[in-house]
Amino acid sequence: MGYFVIIPIAIGVAWVVGLSLAVRYTIKGVKYINAQKRIYNKLNNQNVENYIKCLSKLNSINNWNQFRNTFFYINNSEYIFTELKEKLYKEAYKKGFHLENVKINKSKEELEKEEEERKRASGEEGENNLKYNLKWLPSEYKVIRNVNLDHRIESQEFDAIVIGPTGIFHIENKNEGGKYGCKVIIETGGRWRRINYSGEEKPLISPVAQLDRHDRVLNDILKENFKEKGYTALGIIVLSNYKTVVEGFENCEVPVVKVDNIARFISNYKSTYNLTDEEVSLIHNKLDSLKLKKNYL
């Protein structure tokens, strides 16, 4: 008698458990589908995070084609964090979603941060290369770098100003090419362009206009303070990436010099005037007094 009672009870318990699991799975499935719908209604990081959470609670994915479309829809968005895209792929991988050579696309924000960091690092490298090469000038030369000079039109920041026996020079420093360098081409007519190591070609904004503004500011200062002497400053564009090569130096109306040749160029320059040690100090001190900020090499 007891045996016949136990069997129906066991079957009933199993049925209840099975029904409970089915209901739970159905609820999870419904939540997953709703989360997926919200992705298409409004694609943002919060909805993607919720979608991943719902996906993680599923035992398996029933509609792989639909999931695949959703995955690439999210991955192709420039507004979804890379971290969430990677998390989604890892979760799907656990469920059996395997795609070879899938590239997780970075978000626009992360790409912009990377570009800012690249520019910062590139600028720092260029400054250090210029700093190193200018220190090999003869001791009679004085150098001021990153100096911001005031002017009635607008203050201008100079990468470096050099004062010495052969004259007064201001430098616009450009570190083009990054880690692998590039080819900078200066065409007739003043157009600048760059060919990266990969062969990709991009136009460059010519630094001549910026150099002209610096030239105006510095020469106005020299004229106002040393009118009887007739001092004039020479602007130089320095390319500070050692791996970068330049083609078409002769097509630029101002000197373009590779950084490893800047000390030689300045010390051998044939100016219309020569400065004594006293004049070098006077000019240096005057510029120092007019600065808004500066750092010395």
Side-chain angles (χ1 to χ4, degrees):
M1 180 73 179
Y3 176 78
F4 291 103
V5 172
I6 292 172
I7 290 176
I9 292 173
I11 293 172
V13 170
W15 184 84
V16 170
V17 170
L19 179 62
S20 175
L21 291 173
V23 170
R24 287 176 62 188
Y25 184 77
T26 301
I27 292 172
K28 289 177 183 178
V30 170
K31 286 184 177 180
Y32 169 76
I33 292 170
N34 288 336
Q36 194 172 54
K37 287 178 179 178
R38 282 194 290 272
I39 291 292
Y40 289 99
N41 289 335
K42 187 174 183 180
L43 183 57
N44 58 33
N45 290 297
Q46 183 178 352
N47 283 344
V48 170
E49 192 166 11
N50 183 58
Y51 176 66
I52 295 169
K53 184 179 178 181
C54 292
L55 174 64
S56 69
K57 293 180 179 179
L58 294 181
N59 293 325
S60 62
I61 300 173
N62 292 327
N63 192 331
W64 281 111
N65 285 333
Q66 189 177 35
F67 172 78
R68 179 190 177 95
N69 292 337
T70 305
F71 172 80
F72 283 108
Y73 178 62
I74 292 169
N75 189 41
N76 290 334
S77 172
E78 61 181 11
Y79 300 105
I80 301 303
F81 294 151
T82 309
E83 170 187 358
L84 288 177
K85 294 176 181 179
E86 291 173 344
K87 189 175 179 181
L88 173 62
Y89 181 77
K90 288 177 182 177
E91 193 58 48
Y93 190 88
K94 294 176 185 176
K95 303 290 188 292
F97 178 74
H98 300 163
L99 279 179
E100 294 183 3
N101 301 320
V102 171
K103 180 183 178 183
I104 301 298
N105 298 322
K106 294 183 178 180
S107 69
K108 182 179 180 181
E109 182 180 349
E110 287 165 308
L111 288 172
E112 287 174 350
K113 285 181 180 178
E114 285 184 2
E115 180 63 13
E116 286 175 9
E117 174 58 24
R118 186 197 66 77
K119 287 180 178 179
R120 185 204 62 77
S122 178
E124 188 175 285
E125 180 187 39
E127 284 185 18
N128 289 336
N129 290 346
L130 179 62
K131 177 180 178 179
Y132 175 78
N133 282 276
L134 286 177
K135 80 177 185 179
W136 293 103
L137 282 166
S139 59
E140 297 85 1
Y141 288 81
K142 292 183 180 292
V143 181
I144 313 173
R145 68 182 181 93
N146 299 336
V147 59
N148 199 337
L149 293 179
D150 199 12
H151 190 267
R152 62 180 176 274
I153 298 176
E154 182 181 277
S155 64
Q156 293 288 307
E157 185 170 358
F158 295 74
D159 292 329
I161 296 175
V162 180
I163 309 141
T166 56
I168 305 163
F169 308 87
H170 61 94
I171 292 171
E172 180 58 29
N173 189 26
K174 296 296 179 185
N175 186 31
E176 295 291 343
K179 182 178 179 180
Y180 302 102
C182 66
K183 177 187 278 190
V184 172
I185 300 173
I186 308 170
E187 298 180 344
T188 305
R191 179 173 176 259
W192 288 53
R193 56 191 174 95
R194 179 180 74 187
I195 301 177
N196 294 337
Y197 74 97
S198 61
E200 180 186 13
E201 183 173 327
K202 289 184 177 181
L204 282 177
I205 297 174
S206 170
V208 173
Q210 188 173 7
L211 197 74
D212 285 344
R213 290 193 293 272
H214 293 177
D215 205 65
R216 167 73 184 277
V217 169
L218 186 53
N219 279 310
D220 278 358
I221 289 172
L222 292 173
K223 185 176 180 181
E224 289 167 7
N225 293 278
F226 304 98
K227 187 175 182 180
E228 70 286 355
K229 296 291 185 178
Y231 300 141
T232 56
L234 176 69
I236 307 169
I237 296 170
V238 171
L239 296 175
S240 54
N241 191 323
Y242 291 121
K243 295 179 181 178
T244 290
V245 297
V246 186
E247 184 180 296
F249 285 102
E250 68 282 359
N251 294 326
C252 191
E253 62 267 36
V254 298
V256 179
V257 181
K258 284 294 297 294
V259 69
D260 48 2
N261 197 40
I262 187 60
R264 178 187 293 273
F265 178 90
I266 289 174
S267 58
N268 291 336
Y269 184 73
K270 304 300 181 184
S271 179
T272 55
Y273 61 89
N274 294 104
L275 299 176
T276 64
D277 289 346
E278 182 181 2
E279 288 175 309
V280 169
S281 293
L282 283 171
I283 296 167
H284 172 271
N285 292 340
K286 174 52 68 175
L287 295 178
D288 184 66
S289 70
L290 295 173
K291 73 183 185 309
L292 296 179
K293 63 178 180 179
K294 63 135 176 69
N295 293 299
Y296 288 103
L297 285 171

